[in-house]
Amino acid sequence: MVQPNDVVNVVTFIDEWTRCIGSGYQRDALYRFDACSAQWNDIKLAFKAKSASDPEEAVKILEQTHYKQHLGSDLKHSPTAGYIWELKEKPGWDDA
């Protein structure tokens, strides 16, 4: 059974790869050339997870991706946390 998009959204990984290979990103990363192989491997893992029969197995496969380990929605993995902005325990919009 194919996993639904709320479990595995392949588009997220394709977006990350196209952002990486885009001329703007490569121009910004001129002095640290990035071959985007991690993002390409993420796409392959995402399709493997998408075709997994068990949702828990799909989530385990996604945990191995570069996106999930370094970026994703977990702000603690952000490469700019602590350097450009401070990571808060509670977001400012919750102070209403």
Side-chain angles (χ1 to χ4, degrees), residues 8-88:
V8 180
N9 191 350
V10 176
V11 174
T12 301
F13 299 98
I14 294 172
D15 283 348
E16 279 298 304
W17 179 70
T18 56
R19 179 196 58 79
C20 183
I21 64 169
S23 61
Y25 177 77
Q26 289 297 336
R27 182 194 65 235
D28 293 344
L30 182 62
Y31 298 107
R32 53 179 178 83
F33 181 73
D34 188 357
C36 303
S37 60
Q39 289 82 357
W40 180 249
N41 288 332
D42 282 358
I43 291 174
K44 293 187 279 188
L45 284 172
F47 277 112
K48 182 178 177 182
K50 188 76 165 174
S51 62
S53 58
D54 182 28
E56 292 177 11
E57 179 186 349
V59 170
K60 286 180 185 177
I61 293 170
L62 290 180
E63 292 296 325
Q64 302 171 22
T65 62
H66 174 80
Y67 179 77
K68 196 68 167 170
Q69 292 176 356
H70 296 95
L71 303 169
S73 61
D74 186 359
L75 296 177
K76 293 180 181 113
H77 293 293
S78 172
T80 58
Y83 296 102
I84 296 176
W85 54 277
E86 295 298 322
L87 188 61
K88 296 180 180 180

